[in-house]
Amino acid sequence: MKKYSFGVDVGGTTIKMGFFDVDGELLKKWEIKTRKRNGGSEILEDIAEQIQKTLAQRNISKDEVKGIGLGVPGPVRADGTVVKCINLGWDVFNVEEALARKTDLQVKSGNDANLAALGEMWKGGGKGYRDLLLVTLGTGVGGGIVVEGKMLSGSNGAAGEIGHMIVNENETETCACGKRGCVEQYASATGIARMAQKALTEYKQETVLQKVDRLTAKNIFDAAKQGDDFALEQVEKMGKILGTAIANTACVTNPEVIVIGGGVSKAGKILIDVLEKYFQKRTFHACSNAKFALAELGNDAGIYGGAYLIGDVGR
């Protein structure tokens, strides 16, 4: 009988790992450093070593393990082929086959944001729903889509890249992806600060943000909560852009719930309120009953999603 599974979330700095039982209880979680030298060739070796060590310490046979659910920071095709992970040094190869050879365990993989969406659906802010859109707001803007309880990957594993929808054809600065005018340039933590810094140079009235050493998304939202007019304007601008992008995405995926995660989500209610306002103004009427919620699993969403992906746990 299969009693256990592993959820693994590979990041550019650390690899987060979780060991779960058949009921979906997290028995152990830990992380190791992501060793990216030699084209990232040591990453799967390190994961395999950690899995072997965990099973040995607990005297658990591989026959008792369903397998490994693996999230990677890049596009992954349905067959497990990674379509390059630039920040890991990986080229095109089948990551499922490679890790399965090293562990003698079944492996299923997906983009890290999509696995985070699965995790939030299963145990987090989207619990109880089967159709979900996760939007993560950090250094960039990520997205994950779940349809009828299943991760939506697309032909090259790039489904859900809401951060790279073009929303401003007149943008002169370049996004990290190489295009101009992406959602990420306005709604990420760095994007919010960038836009506010531009606006501050032309703002003629007083604002508490003129006194800070460095503008950040956090101090902009904090000032907005205190009623600062300039900060409230920046929150409205960001909310209009991202709320509209979410509304457009909902016209394609029709989610029951929209979960907002990432560091910027710590702003809480003021962020949810402005996104929901512009979402309701712009979405198709049949999609307008979608609920908004904050993510609950934080950095653990990916490992929960991995455990869910491999199947037969907590269903």
Side-chain angles (χ1 to χ4, degrees):
M1 180 180 175
K2 306 294 186 182
K3 299 178 182 178
Y4 307 101
S5 65
F6 288 91
V8 180
D9 183 10
V10 182
T13 304
T14 62
I15 300 168
K16 298 172 183 66
M17 305 188 69
F19 185 53
F20 295 80
D21 70 11
V22 71
D23 296 318
E25 181 182 352
L26 180 58
L27 303 176
K28 176 187 177 184
K29 72 171 182 177
W30 71 106
E31 59 182 54
I32 60 174
K33 185 178 179 181
T34 306
R35 297 198 295 165
K36 295 182 284 187
R37 62 191 183 194
N38 300 321
S41 61
E42 298 171 343
I43 292 172
L44 297 185
E45 294 283 353
D46 290 345
I47 292 170
E49 180 183 340
Q50 290 292 316
I51 287 171
Q52 306 280 15
K53 186 182 297 184
T54 300
L55 295 179
Q57 288 171 343
R58 293 172 178 257
N59 196 27
I60 293 171
S61 164
K62 289 182 181 179
D63 293 337
E64 299 177 87
V65 180
K66 175 66 179 179
I68 306 161
L70 180 72
V72 299
V76 185
R77 293 178 184 148
D79 67 353
T81 300
V82 171
V83 191
K84 292 191 177 182
C85 282
I86 296 170
N87 62 344
L88 297 182
W90 287 356
D91 202 351
V92 179
F93 75 107
N94 192 300
V95 70
E96 292 180 9
E97 292 177 358
L99 186 56
R101 284 195 299 269
K102 295 178 186 300
T103 59
D104 294 322
L105 290 171
Q106 180 186 15
V107 180
K108 290 185 180 179
S109 62
N111 172 264
D112 54 0
N114 288 334
L115 259 66
L118 280 178
E120 289 290 344
M121 177 197 72
W122 184 31
K123 296 286 188 179
K127 189 173 182 179
Y129 299 98
R130 301 281 289 171
D131 294 272
L132 174 147
L133 170 64
L134 172 68
V135 181
T136 56
L137 307 175
T139 305
V141 174
I145 298 170
V146 177
V147 177
E148 296 181 353
K150 296 181 179 179
M151 180 175 66
L152 183 66
S153 298
S155 61
N156 279 325
E161 289 287 356
I162 186 173
H164 297 292
M165 296 171 63
I166 300 295
V167 292
N168 180 10
E169 294 183 354
N170 298 317
E171 179 61 61
T172 57
E173 294 187 28
T174 304
C175 176
C177 75
K179 298 187 297 181
R180 294 185 178 92
C182 294
V183 169
E184 186 169 293
Q185 292 182 270
Y186 313 101
S188 64
T190 49
I192 294 165
R194 180 182 75 96
M195 293 301 294
Q197 189 65 61
K198 276 187 172 183
L200 193 59
T201 60
E202 301 175 0
Y203 195 68
K204 305 301 182 185
Q205 301 172 34
E206 285 191 9
T207 168
V208 296
L209 294 173
Q210 291 163 337
K211 301 173 185 177
V212 301
D213 293 332
R214 183 174 67 90
L215 277 178
T216 65
K218 183 182 185 304
N219 57 37
I220 291 165
F221 274 99
D222 286 347
K225 290 175 186 178
Q226 298 302 315
D228 183 271
D229 288 339
F230 175 80
L232 285 167
E233 286 179 16
Q234 304 315 304
V235 170
E236 283 290 317
K237 287 178 184 177
M238 177 267 193
K240 182 177 181 180
I241 291 170
L242 184 57
T244 301
I246 293 172
N248 291 340
T249 304
C251 289
V252 180
T253 64
N254 190 200
E256 296 173 278
V257 62
I258 297 155
V259 179
I260 308 298
V264 178
S265 71
K266 292 177 183 177
K269 187 176 184 298
I270 188 173
L271 172 63
I272 294 295
D273 286 349
V274 73
L275 293 178
E276 191 164 13
K277 178 174 76 172
Y278 284 102
F279 172 82
Q280 290 296 341
K281 282 184 177 182
R282 287 170 163 75
T283 199
F284 181 58
H285 66 86
C287 303
S288 63
N289 63 343
K291 296 175 175 61
F292 277 74
L294 290 169
E296 296 178 2
L297 297 178
N299 291 333
D300 292 342
I303 60 173
Y304 274 96
Y308 186 90
L309 180 67
I310 198 64
D312 294 341
V313 293
R315 301 299 178 88

